[in-house]
Amino acid sequence: MYSLTVRDHVMIAHTLPDPFFGPAQGMHGATLVIEATWRREQLGPHAVVMDIGEASRQLAEVLDPLRYANLDESPVFAGRLSTTEAVAGHVAQSLAERAGEDIAGVGVVVREHPDAWVAHDVDLRA
Amino acid sequence: MYSLTVRDHVMIAHTLPDPFFGPAQGMHGATLVIEATWRREQLGPHAVVMDIGEASRQLAEVLDPLRYANLDESPVFAGRLSTTEAVAGHVAQSLAERAGEDIAGVGVVVREHPDAWVAHDVDLRA
Amino acid sequence: MYSLTVRDHVMIAHTLPDPFFGPAQGMHGATLVIEATWRREQLGPHAVVMDIGEASRQLAEVLDPLRYANLDESPVFAGRLSTTEAVAGHVAQSLAERAGEDIAGVGVVVREHPDAWVAHDVDLRA
Amino acid sequence: MYSLTVRDHVMIAHTLPDPFFGPAQGMHGATLVIEATWRREQLGPHAVVMDIGEASRQLAEVLDPLRYANLDESPVFAGRLSTTEAVAGHVAQSLAERAGEDIAGVGVVVREHPDAWVAHDVDLRA
Amino acid sequence: MYSLTVRDHVMIAHTLPDPFFGPAQGMHGATLVIEATWRREQLGPHAVVMDIGEASRQLAEVLDPLRYANLDESPVFAGRLSTTEAVAGHVAQSLAERAGEDIAGVGVVVREHPDAWVAHDVDLRA
Amino acid sequence: MYSLTVRDHVMIAHTLPDPFFGPAQGMHGATLVIEATWRREQLGPHAVVMDIGEASRQLAEVLDPLRYANLDESPVFAGRLSTTEAVAGHVAQSLAERAGEDIAGVGVVVREHPDAWVAHDVDLRA
């Protein structure tokens, strides 16, 4: 299996309005560093997983609505919690929808601070 | 699949008393940076893999006996070599024992210097 | 010259309400990773710049009011812009006020994303 | 599953002579940071995945012909494109050929700049 | 003193045709990760060292001729060695020429691999 | 001012036998990642601060006695505490003694874990 990963980031604000989240219930924010990975069984005719410029564009297209955003006002998270896991799920699903048919899977890591990160992986085989 | 990773570290001394280990046979030490990952098929009611504070506490509970420790005197490694792999195995197994029933697996990466690290993964499905 | 640096982080929201800041005028946020440095000409009796636990406590004391905070509502930045530079200046000045008389200077680096960071340095000699 | 990873790097030049590669068609170069991983179901008698010195030597043996090399003149990539994916594939296959019978798989990550990396994984079970 | 740093990178090829450089005499390459710093005694009216977008643009303007370049054919290094130090000097001098009158100094770090980097600093006070 | 930095590491054990050090009084250890910097006003005939191979060799020569060492038994720290600051001071002084006459200063950073590091700087001008 081969894979290509590109990295980008967004700087967001949000609340997590549930007592479960303790001090993170109020308005706060994060720099979310996103690593997006595309997997493929065999390389294509140019000996790459996919065009790296296209990979970066697809990731940017998904992230643009989140840049400098207050996630409490984002339609993406309307009616649900914008946890880091939810962001990872949204980005991975959005990239999976855009993936070419040779792509076996898409994975997303979202780093929220030096000591914590989450991931979501979508298997596109089957 | 979703996952959450938290990071902590311990500063340990130990010997690896077997000629196999060459210059590492004598008393030396390491800063072991531990990345612990919990995996889960679907997110729970708060849209997280698990409470990140609880994740950090479980990791700290497992690591506390190793902080500023001489592993040669640690009951954890009595009668066996305290290689980085053995530390990774111990931490991953200890976290697996504490894992909730929704957790599909636990993985641990232990970084011993900028150019070397080990990992151990425990699959909790089945 | 000797120095000791410790690292911590805060996850903040804020607005930068001036057209100068373009897309950062609205509510957004950041993980600010703060590296605080204390400098000293000669080491003290325990061969350290200062007690590392005390260094971490002083930094935490300064950062605690900023953890999970909306800087727009923080008294620290009342009436002024809470730019990353302003945060660095506030943290460095606050640490300088707490510094022992052997400390020659205090420096603070604030990293806001992988490709940008600011610093402020306070010289305490003179 | 256990794994051991060691890291090394090479500084190479090459062309990617196909319009697909845009500005990378001409002679340019890269520092390729290579992370090589060996996986094993159970640890061996010394409680390690494999001797870390042997791991580093095997990786160096594979990388030596690429150090300070112009990949356009390297027999490894004669008649084919030396993309980062192709380098990852070559290194992983070369390590897989050298792997002991207890090794369940070999993985290679090749980082080409802070925001992009590729990987290739070889499963040796079956 | 305040400072702002932004980071970018270029992927270059070059030769270092002097026996002094041993295996680096032939055609090889590097990913050069460049950190450019602007220093200023006091913050300006927007509480920043300078506009971060303008900082990134100035750095990109200086780096654009070096992106995917063979430095042996670059007019910047005509008749001289394109060592990492020479690149750092060129970038720092070029940024210094563009610096506003409030800027006290410009510093550039160029990282060529995980274990080696160079820097050049230009003091603009005089 | 130009500078060159190279990085290496050692894995040491030691005690810090003074109540001041709390849990670090007993036998424990650290991976010490050392960044050594040489500064020079102007570049020499080969457009470098110094030969990078020579820089690495000088650093290795100073670090070799500390590799896999119990610092309690090292003549370098006989009769004194082997704090990270003391290690930084020893390495910087040792490199300063070896420095060529064109070198304006030597600096050493010693990283002991992801959230703490120390530095020592020796000015060789005058």
Side-chain angles (χ1 to χ4, degrees):
Chain A
M1 184 73 83
Y2 285 89
S3 69
L4 167 70
T5 303
V6 297
R7 192 174 75 162
D8 198 342
H9 68 268
V10 294
M11 302 177 79
I12 59 91
H14 66 157
T15 63
L16 293 169
D18 185 296
F20 177 84
F21 294 100
Q25 290 178 77
M27 182 60 71
H28 67 290
T31 304
L32 299 179
V33 179
I34 291 103
E35 302 170 0
T37 298
W38 290 261
R39 294 191 299 274
R40 185 173 172 167
E41 285 290 351
Q42 299 299 331
L43 297 179
H46 298 100
V48 298
V49 171
M50 67 185 286
D51 177 50
I52 192 169
E54 175 63 15
S56 297
R57 275 190 296 276
Q58 286 189 17
L59 180 56
E61 188 179 86
V62 173
L63 295 182
D64 280 349
L66 309 182
R67 291 191 205 279
Y68 298 109
N70 177 355
L71 300 188
D72 293 2
E73 298 175 354
S74 166
V76 171
F77 300 101
R80 58 190 184 110
L81 291 161
S82 60
T83 58
T84 313
E85 283 92 337
V87 173
H90 165 67
V91 175
Q93 294 289 351
S94 301
L95 293 176
E97 291 166 11
R98 287 162 174 78
E101 56 181 21
D102 293 320
I103 300 300
V106 169
V108 166
V109 175
V110 182
R111 299 181 185 270
E112 66 180 74
H113 67 67
D115 295 325
W117 54 97
V118 305
H120 183 51
D121 196 87
V122 179
D123 193 333
L124 293 170
R125 296 170 297 188
Chain B
M1 185 72 82
Y2 285 89
S3 69
L4 167 69
T5 303
V6 297
R7 191 174 75 162
D8 199 342
H9 68 269
V10 294
M11 302 178 80
I12 58 91
H14 65 156
T15 63
L16 293 170
D18 186 296
F20 178 84
F21 294 101
Q25 290 179 76
M27 181 61 70
H28 66 290
T31 304
L32 300 178
V33 180
I34 291 104
E35 303 170 359
T37 297
W38 290 260
R39 295 191 300 274
R40 185 174 172 166
E41 286 290 350
Q42 299 298 330
L43 297 179
H46 297 101
V48 297
V49 171
M50 66 185 286
D51 177 51
I52 192 171
E54 175 63 15
S56 298
R57 275 189 296 276
Q58 286 188 18
L59 181 57
E61 188 178 87
V62 173
L63 295 182
D64 280 349
L66 308 182
R67 291 190 205 282
Y68 298 109
N70 177 353
L71 300 188
D72 293 3
E73 299 175 354
S74 166
V76 171
F77 299 101
R80 58 193 185 108
L81 291 160
S82 59
T83 59
T84 313
E85 283 92 336
V87 173
H90 166 68
V91 175
Q93 294 290 352
S94 301
L95 293 175
E97 292 166 11
R98 287 163 174 77
E101 57 181 19
D102 294 319
I103 299 301
V106 169
V108 166
V109 175
V110 181
R111 298 182 185 270
E112 65 180 75
H113 66 66
D115 295 326
W117 54 96
V118 304
H120 183 52
D121 196 87
V122 179
D123 193 331
L124 293 170
R125 296 171 296 189
Chain C
M1 185 74 82
Y2 285 89
S3 69
L4 168 70
T5 303
V6 296
R7 191 174 76 160
D8 198 342
H9 67 269
V10 295
M11 301 179 79
I12 60 91
H14 66 156
T15 64
L16 293 170
D18 187 296
F20 177 83
F21 295 99
Q25 289 178 77
M27 180 62 69
H28 67 290
T31 304
L32 300 178
V33 179
I34 292 103
E35 302 170 359
T37 297
W38 290 260
R39 294 190 301 273
R40 185 172 171 168
E41 285 290 351
Q42 298 298 331
L43 297 179
H46 298 100
V48 296
V49 171
M50 67 186 287
D51 177 51
I52 192 171
E54 176 63 16
S56 297
R57 275 189 295 276
Q58 287 188 17
L59 180 57
E61 187 178 88
V62 172
L63 295 183
D64 280 348
L66 308 182
R67 292 191 204 278
Y68 297 109
N70 177 353
L71 300 188
D72 292 4
E73 299 175 353
S74 165
V76 170
F77 300 101
R80 60 192 182 107
L81 291 160
S82 59
T83 58
T84 312
E85 282 92 336
V87 173
H90 166 67
V91 175
Q93 293 290 350
S94 301
L95 292 176
E97 292 166 11
R98 287 162 173 78
E101 58 181 19
D102 294 319
I103 299 300
V106 169
V108 166
V109 175
V110 181
R111 298 181 185 270
E112 67 180 74
H113 67 67
D115 295 325
W117 54 96
V118 304
H120 182 52
D121 196 89
V122 179
D123 193 332
L124 293 170
R125 294 172 297 190
Chain D
M1 185 72 84
Y2 285 88
S3 69
L4 167 69
T5 303
V6 298
R7 191 173 75 162
D8 198 342
H9 68 270
V10 295
M11 303 179 77
I12 59 92
H14 65 158
T15 63
L16 293 170
D18 187 296
F20 177 84
F21 294 100
Q25 289 177 80
M27 182 60 71
H28 67 291
T31 305
L32 300 179
V33 179
I34 292 104
E35 303 169 0
T37 297
W38 290 260
R39 295 191 299 274
R40 185 173 174 167
E41 286 290 350
Q42 300 298 331
L43 297 180
H46 298 101
V48 297
V49 171
M50 67 185 287
D51 176 51
I52 191 170
E54 175 63 16
S56 297
R57 275 189 296 276
Q58 287 189 17
L59 180 57
E61 188 178 87
V62 173
L63 295 183
D64 280 350
L66 309 181
R67 292 190 205 279
Y68 298 108
N70 177 354
L71 300 188
D72 293 3
E73 299 175 355
S74 165
V76 171
F77 300 101
R80 59 190 184 110
L81 291 160
S82 59
T83 59
T84 313
E85 284 91 337
V87 173
H90 165 68
V91 175
Q93 294 290 351
S94 301
L95 293 176
E97 290 165 13
R98 286 162 174 78
E101 58 180 19
D102 294 319
I103 299 300
V106 169
V108 166
V109 175
V110 181
R111 299 181 184 270
E112 67 180 73
H113 67 67
D115 295 325
W117 53 97
V118 305
H120 183 51
D121 195 87
V122 179
D123 193 332
L124 293 171
R125 295 170 297 188
Chain E
M1 186 72 83
Y2 285 89
S3 68
L4 168 69
T5 303
V6 297
R7 192 175 74 161
D8 199 342
H9 68 269
V10 294
M11 300 177 80
I12 59 92
H14 65 157
T15 63
L16 293 170
D18 187 296
F20 178 83
F21 294 100
Q25 289 177 77
M27 182 61 70
H28 67 291
T31 304
L32 300 178
V33 180
I34 292 104
E35 304 170 358
T37 298
W38 290 261
R39 294 190 301 272
R40 184 172 172 168
E41 285 289 351
Q42 299 299 330
L43 297 179
H46 297 101
V48 296
V49 170
M50 67 185 287
D51 177 51
I52 191 170
E54 175 63 16
S56 297
R57 275 189 296 276
Q58 287 188 18
L59 180 57
E61 188 178 87
V62 173
L63 295 183
D64 279 349
L66 309 182
R67 291 190 206 279
Y68 298 107
N70 177 353
L71 300 188
D72 293 4
E73 298 175 354
S74 166
V76 170
F77 300 100
R80 59 191 182 108
L81 291 160
S82 59
T83 59
T84 314
E85 284 91 336
V87 173
H90 166 67
V91 176
Q93 294 290 351
S94 301
L95 293 176
E97 290 166 12
R98 287 160 172 80
E101 57 181 19
D102 294 319
I103 299 300
V106 170
V108 166
V109 175
V110 181
R111 298 181 186 269
E112 67 180 74
H113 66 67
D115 296 324
W117 54 95
V118 305
H120 183 53
D121 196 88
V122 179
D123 193 333
L124 294 170
R125 295 170 296 188
Chain F
M1 185 73 81
Y2 285 90
S3 69
L4 167 70
T5 303
V6 297
R7 190 174 75 161
D8 198 340
H9 68 269
V10 294
M11 302 179 77
I12 58 93
H14 66 157
T15 64
L16 294 170
D18 186 297
F20 178 83
F21 294 100
Q25 290 177 76
M27 181 61 68
H28 67 290
T31 304
L32 300 178
V33 180
I34 292 103
E35 303 170 359
T37 297
W38 290 259
R39 295 191 300 273
R40 184 172 172 167
E41 286 291 350
Q42 300 298 329
L43 297 179
H46 298 100
V48 297
V49 170
M50 67 186 287
D51 176 51
I52 191 170
E54 174 64 15
S56 298
R57 275 190 296 275
Q58 286 188 16
L59 180 56
E61 185 177 271
V62 172
L63 295 182
D64 280 349
L66 309 182
R67 292 191 205 277
Y68 298 108
N70 177 355
L71 300 188
D72 293 3
E73 299 175 354
S74 165
V76 171
F77 300 101
R80 60 192 183 107
L81 291 161
S82 59
T83 59
T84 312
E85 283 92 336
V87 173
H90 166 67
V91 175
Q93 294 289 351
S94 301
L95 293 175
E97 291 166 11
R98 287 160 174 79
E101 59 181 17
D102 293 320
I103 299 300
V106 169
V108 167
V109 175
V110 182
R111 298 181 186 269
E112 66 179 73
H113 67 67
D115 296 325
W117 54 95
V118 304
H120 183 51
D121 195 88
V122 179
D123 193 333
L124 293 170
R125 295 170 296 190

